[in-house]
Amino acid sequence: MRMRGHALRPVSAVAVALVLTAGTVAARPAPARAATGPAVSAAPAELSETTRLPDRRSVVIGDRFYSVSTEDGLYPAAGWHTTGEMGGIWTPPLKLLDGVWFGLDGAWLGKQAAAQRFTAGQGYTRIAYTAANGVRAERTDVAPDGVRAGLIGITLSSDSRKTVRLDVDAHSELMTAYPWGSTSPDQQAMNLPDTGAYDKGTLVFREQGTPNVPNATRHDYAALVAADRTPVAHRLGPDHRGPQDPAVVCPATGDQPKRCDDTAFGKGTGGRLSYDVTVPAGGKATVWIAVAGSDHGLSEANGALRTALHDPAGLLARKVAARRAVAANTVVDLPGDRLLQQSVEWSKQNLADSVQEARDLKMRVTHEGKDYPAPKGTVAKARWLGAGWPDYPWLFGTDGEYTAYATVAAGQFSAIEDHLRAVRDTSDIVNDRSGKVIHEVVSDGSVYFGANGEAGNTDETAKFPSAVALVWRWTGDRAFLDSMYDFAKRNMHYIVEKLDADGDGWPEGSGNVERAGMGVEKLDNAVYTIRGLRDLADLATAEGDGATAAWAGGRADAMEKKFEGAWWYGGDTAQYADSIDKADDPANDNTKIFQRHWIGVTPMDAELVRPGQVTRPLADDQHARAALARREQSCYTGTTGLYHTGTGPTSADGGNKGPSCDGVVSSVQSDREVFSLGNGIMAVAEGNYGRLAQQRTYTTDNARIQLDPSLWEMPGAMPEIAPSPDFDPANIDRPLTGRSMVLQAWGAYGNLWPVVHQQLGVSPDMGRARLEVVPQVPPGQTRVAGRHIRVGGGTVDVTAEAAGKSLRTTVTGRSAKASLLIGQVLPTGAKVAAVTLDGRAVKYQVRTTARGTEVVADAGSAGGSAVFAVTLR
């Protein structure tokens, strides 16, 4: 993925309606109304929306099933990889249905019975509709984990006893996640016509055959629709899209309308199941409908359907319980920033929702969609953190590596371990164990970009050892480290030996930004290569590989010594160069190219672990503070966060789209799109240098686009791109076939990591049984706290307080078997008068770090409780 990006006015207050689990601290705005329907007792946190529901997307995600609709419960054509076909109902890597629709005595939910309120819950969604013929309806969607099926509960209520005809329409679209609409071959060539049948209460849709495409094989796809009762009637036919019949077909080319219903790629068919449902007077009746499917034939699909319909309410309850377990880890209490606190809560859910699984991935190198060769091999099973919905729900190197920091902070260890295994397994097959990391793998195994013969993204190969080291430090999982070490070692040898043709130490290749006029050596690649080498040296030491530790550490030393001279652009820019080495002058490795891209923040973002030394970010402190201060100005930061490319004079258009912070004429125009990742990187960079007052700008920006009703699309979902000047109109005003992602995993980097690692100061090295907890209370606040933060096989609670001349850090460990270094960052200019541990004077250290001056003391084992207190002069 490339960071690609809507402009709304800022708001002075955020109205967030919440129902909270026990133990969380409520924001003061009024709670949402409790949902009714299939019982979710003691409901977990919910967010509701009542406006423009037909224009807002909804995603309901399980690890083997997901659906994409609008918040009125309808299914217009959505997404752009295969135009209009990325929405609907999926079991990766297979799309099953365009949608499923519900009618009450001829009144379709979402049309004649309009949606009144959409509610996003932890593990489910709900929609409440206006009454139709005296009957009220609520819809509950859940995607149970571990099963290739999803469930929809329709709960009917009435003041008087009624028998209602419930019609269920379904329209199939059995097609794979790849090819796409613009690849060669495209989905038009690969997709075969579906057939429809009725069998003992079930709609049965099949697609069987061999596409007339080289290297395509015979397939057998199945999608099933049934309910927890026997229908009284059924129909089959080419339509059956409920209120979306007759379907409006999206144009094949040109501008897309705001809404359309089907596409030229579509070759599905439809059916209807009808039920007579008796609703008791003053009571309720719930009908459960299941959609199940398989790319391995009817038998597996039937098994999934039986599992889903055996105990639908039980599956809902188990999903909610699983999401409550997610909520129970990393429970933060931020009295001075309740918005950020709630963003952390919802980001944990976003990450849990992002876990995907597929089987039998046929690893096929498509050369950016130009080829469809025979597979190079098969990955039997892969689990990963999907990047974004609806167009990027598959495996990425870069996305997963940024998301790793949020995932460990959330305590979701198995998810990121699985993701990194999937990256290793797919990369080794596709790239012949070269060490190069793939960029993008679709859920069927098609590799769009990142094979050996392609430029690939240098940065994601460099980031992989850092992700492994991160997980090792947080989990202490020795088996994971042992299984990943060889690949991590090959990663860095590949970069050093294959991607530095001129031998100057800076790797060539693509990075996170690819814009005209960039040099062949990119800033982010250089930054993450240095960090990758440092982390490989640390891993090598843990593995007893002294030769590799010396090699990696030595190369990192050499690169660090010349980094500032090579990359600091200086002058009135107060920034780092985006790239060096002009592409049209390969002999010149010294020319610095400055274009104001967001990657200029990466030297401040990357922390380096050096054995025996305090962890520090890469950038020189003076340069870092100057660069961050400049990035906070209006030429780089707008009302929703950090621009992709800052404003200033350009040779491309002779002007600029905003204010100038310097006099440098850039070769590219500004790009005032705001990405949730960019805000995250800026927030982390500010925190690395102890700038928590400035950090709050960017954590707030991400929290607002997730939680502010004037900015969100789906309540609680972190989007890919924020409303911003060059992403205008916003997603909600764009055609559904041309939007950015409604849920994007990597944005969680910008709130979970700053809170847990920087504000609460949790820094584990559990593989070596060491834990540091050195919080920093943000200026103007008196307390930050977190409970059940997972480290190794246990958890820690942390409370940091700062009031007047007193600082206090309290750490309580549960089965966290490690030595504990406890402390706190001093307020600027403060001096220490006395330090106590559990009420007794204690020896302490005062150490200078990029964050500021830290006071720390050895607290013995992290398995108990320790209270560290500082009195200031």
Side-chain angles (χ1 to χ4, degrees):
M1 296 175 69
R2 301 290 185 272
M3 282 175 57
R4 315 178 323 266
H6 164 165
L8 296 177
R9 58 181 174 81
V11 295
S12 58
V14 178
V16 181
L18 297 165
V19 177
L20 295 151
T21 51
T24 59
V25 180
R28 283 300 146 207
R33 289 170 284 177
T36 58
V40 182
S41 61
E46 295 182 341
L47 293 172
S48 292
E49 178 60 73
T50 59
T51 66
R52 298 189 64 181
L53 301 184
D55 294 327
R56 301 179 188 276
R57 291 172 294 179
S58 166
V59 290
V60 181
I61 308 172
D63 59 2
R64 304 214 67 194
F65 181 95
Y66 68 85
S67 68
V68 181
S69 65
T70 46
E71 291 179 13
D72 55 358
L74 300 183
Y75 296 86
W80 49 267
H81 264 122
T82 300
T83 302
E85 297 293 354
M86 303 307 293
I89 297 174
W90 291 74
T91 178
L94 187 66
K95 183 173 182 178
L96 303 176
L97 304 177
D98 281 328
V100 57
W101 297 264
F102 303 94
L104 301 179
D105 288 336
W108 291 102
L109 301 185
K111 192 70 172 178
Q112 292 86 357
Q116 287 185 306
R117 184 180 71 253
F118 172 86
T119 298
Q122 294 182 350
Y124 60 91
T125 63
R126 277 205 170 96
I127 305 172
Y129 296 93
T130 58
N133 303 318
V135 177
R136 296 175 295 277
E138 280 200 340
R139 168 178 174 164
T140 302
D141 285 56
V142 60
D145 292 321
V147 60
R148 303 188 78 176
L151 287 159
I152 302 171
I154 302 295
T155 298
L156 307 177
S157 60
S158 175
D159 295 335
S160 59
R161 180 182 173 87
K162 289 182 180 290
T163 297
V164 181
R165 174 60 61 93
L166 174 65
D167 291 321
V168 180
D169 265 14
H171 192 268
S172 74
E173 193 51 80
L174 289 155
M175 65 166 58
T176 50
Y178 188 90
W180 301 328
S182 59
T183 56
S184 179
D186 63 11
Q187 190 57 249
Q188 185 73 41
M190 190 65 71
N191 194 21
L192 301 177
D194 298 351
T195 62
Y198 174 80
D199 182 24
K200 299 177 183 178
T202 301
L203 293 176
V204 180
F205 301 109
R206 304 289 295 278
E207 181 181 310
Q208 299 168 286
T210 305
N212 186 23
V213 169
N215 296 310
T217 58
R218 180 174 176 79
H219 62 248
D220 185 359
Y221 304 153
L224 307 177
V225 182
D228 60 352
R229 62 197 66 202
T230 302
V232 297
H234 72 274
R235 295 182 189 174
L236 298 171
D239 296 320
H240 292 296
R241 295 180 183 85
Q244 293 176 225
D245 279 331
V248 176
V249 177
C250 307
T253 59
D255 292 339
Q256 298 291 316
K258 186 74 178 292
R259 294 172 72 95
C260 42
D261 304 302
D262 206 348
T263 77
F265 299 103
K267 297 180 182 179
T269 188
R272 176 177 297 175
L273 301 172
S274 298
Y275 306 89
D276 286 339
V277 184
T278 299
V279 184
K284 297 175 182 178
T286 297
V287 179
W288 285 102
I289 297 91
V291 178
S294 172
D295 53 335
H296 296 136
L298 195 56
S299 176
E300 185 180 68
N302 271 319
L305 186 70
R306 286 193 300 270
T307 298
L309 290 176
H310 175 69
D311 182 12
L315 287 176
L316 171 62
R318 284 193 284 278
K319 181 78 175 204
V320 170
R323 288 298 182 264
R324 287 180 177 170
V326 166
N329 288 324
T330 312
V331 181
V332 302
D333 181 13
L334 309 177
D337 196 344
R338 295 299 191 203
L339 179 63
L340 179 56
Q341 174 181 325
Q342 296 304 330
S343 181
V344 167
E345 291 302 310
W346 281 95
S347 292
K348 293 186 298 185
Q349 299 296 322
N350 290 173
L351 291 171
D353 280 341
S354 298
V355 176
Q356 296 287 277
E357 180 180 315
R359 310 281 176 88
D360 300 323
L361 286 77
K362 308 299 183 188
M363 303 308 302
R364 196 185 310 266
V365 180
T366 73
H367 300 119
E368 298 185 74
K370 300 178 181 67
D371 299 312
Y372 197 79
K376 293 190 68 173
T378 300
V379 173
K381 175 183 174 181
R383 284 176 67 85
W384 68 92
L385 289 155
W389 275 260
D391 277 284
Y392 286 116
W394 34 76
L395 174 68
F396 283 84
T398 289
D399 294 67
E401 291 152 3
Y402 283 119
T403 304
Y405 291 84
T407 309
V408 295
Q412 297 175 30
F413 295 166
S414 62
I416 190 58
E417 287 189 345
D418 286 343
H419 182 100
L420 296 176
R421 290 187 190 102
V423 170
R424 177 201 60 193
D425 293 346
T426 55
S427 297
D428 268 353
I429 290 175
V430 167
N431 289 328
D432 304 314
R433 294 179 54 83
S434 70
K436 182 175 182 175
V437 169
I438 51 83
H439 176 65
E440 179 176 5
V441 180
V442 184
S443 49
D444 70 337
S446 296
V447 178
Y448 184 72
F449 187 61
N452 278 336
E454 299 165 337
N457 273 27
T458 301
D459 69 290
E460 56 204 336
T461 298
K463 288 195 195 93
F464 195 89
S466 296
V468 172
L470 172 79
V471 173
W472 155 246
R473 291 168 191 147
W474 279 76
T475 65
D477 186 341
R478 184 76 202 199
F480 173 78
L481 170 61
D482 291 345
S483 69
M484 289 291 161
Y485 176 66
D486 175 67
F487 185 59
K489 185 166 133 179
R490 286 186 278 120
N491 296 153
M492 299 317 298
H493 277 284
Y494 179 84
I495 290 176
V496 169
E497 295 162 13
K498 302 290 186 183
L499 300 181
D500 185 16
D502 58 5
D504 66 351
W506 309 120
E508 297 97 16
S510 300
N512 280 273
V513 173
E514 294 179 20
R515 296 293 169 95
M518 295 191 81
V520 297
E521 295 165 351
K522 314 297 193 299
L523 175 64
D524 52 332
N525 293 343
V527 167
Y528 294 128
T529 295
I530 293 171
R531 187 181 68 181
L533 287 164
R534 285 286 177 211
D535 287 329
L536 176 60
D538 192 40
L539 297 177
T541 300
E543 288 285 293
D545 183 355
T548 296
W551 172 81
R555 292 201 68 92
D557 285 341
M559 293 176 74
E560 283 182 59
K561 285 177 183 176
K562 62 180 185 177
F563 178 78
E564 296 292 335
W567 291 95
W568 181 247
Y569 198 82
D572 67 351
T573 68
Q575 294 292 305
Y576 289 93
D578 298 270
S579 60
I580 59 176
D581 187 1
K582 286 185 174 180
D584 58 357
D585 185 8
N588 185 346
D589 286 326
N590 302 311
T591 302
K592 301 172 186 177
I593 302 169
F594 177 64
Q595 296 176 315
R596 305 185 182 91
H597 301 310
W598 67 268
I599 57 173
V601 183
T602 58
M604 291 77 79
D605 166 70
E607 281 191 300
L608 305 183
V609 174
R610 303 171 179 87
Q613 300 181 40
V614 175
T615 297
R616 296 181 61 91
L618 172 61
D620 167 83
D621 283 8
Q622 184 176 355
H623 287 169
R625 294 176 188 279
L628 289 170
R630 179 56 55 85
R631 291 274 166 171
E632 293 156 11
Q633 296 180 3
S634 60
C635 49
Y636 286 103
T637 294
T639 57
T640 56
L642 182 73
Y643 295 147
H644 181 285
T645 305
T647 62
T650 68
S651 58
D653 62 1
N656 61 74
K657 295 181 180 179
S660 296
C661 291
D662 54 67
V664 175
V665 176
S666 171
S667 62
V668 295
Q669 295 183 11
S670 60
D671 181 353
R672 297 170 300 167
E673 294 178 298
V674 173
F675 287 75
S676 56
L677 176 62
N679 281 341
I681 288 172
M682 191 65 179
V684 171
E686 297 276 25
N688 281 340
Y689 291 87
R691 299 162 63 89
L692 299 193
Q694 296 89 338
Q695 179 186 77
R696 186 165 182 171
T697 295
Y698 301 95
T699 58
T700 296
D701 286 335
N702 265 8
R704 287 175 59 227
I705 61 177
Q706 182 184 31
L707 295 170
D708 183 339
S710 73
L711 295 175
W712 68 31
E713 184 181 357
M714 179 178 174
M718 183 73 74
E720 178 189 16
I721 306 177
S724 42
D726 291 341
F727 191 67
D728 186 17
N731 266 333
I732 194 172
D733 293 315
R734 289 173 174 244
L736 284 155
T737 53
R739 297 187 182 183
S740 66
M741 303 309 100
V742 65
L743 171 64
Q744 186 84 17
W746 64 16
Y749 177 51
N751 45 32
L752 274 155
W753 192 248
V755 169
V756 176
H757 179 60
Q758 295 173 333
Q759 296 186 19
L760 294 175
V762 180
S763 185
D765 189 3
M766 300 306 291
R768 298 180 175 92
R770 298 194 296 248
L771 173 65
E772 290 191 13
V773 179
V774 186
Q776 182 178 11
V777 179
Q781 299 183 37
T782 59
R783 181 176 179 274
V784 292
R787 294 186 292 109
H788 296 288
I789 299 167
R790 290 187 68 193
V791 288
T795 66
V796 293
D797 298 347
V798 179
T799 299
E801 299 164 291
K805 298 290 187 180
S806 175
L807 307 177
R808 182 183 297 266
T809 301
T810 304
V811 176
T812 302
R814 299 179 188 84
S815 302
K817 298 177 180 178
S819 61
L820 173 64
L821 188 72
I822 190 171
Q824 198 167 141
V825 179
L826 296 179
T828 301
K831 302 294 183 182
V832 176
V835 176
T836 62
L837 182 66
D838 298 329
R840 295 184 297 274
V842 66
K843 291 183 179 179
Y844 62 90
Q845 305 173 49
V846 177
R847 62 189 193 185
T848 301
T849 73
R851 299 167 76 199
T853 301
E854 298 178 354
V855 182
V856 298
D858 184 352
S861 170
S865 181
V867 180
F868 174 88
V870 179
T871 302
L872 303 175
R873 290 205 296 264

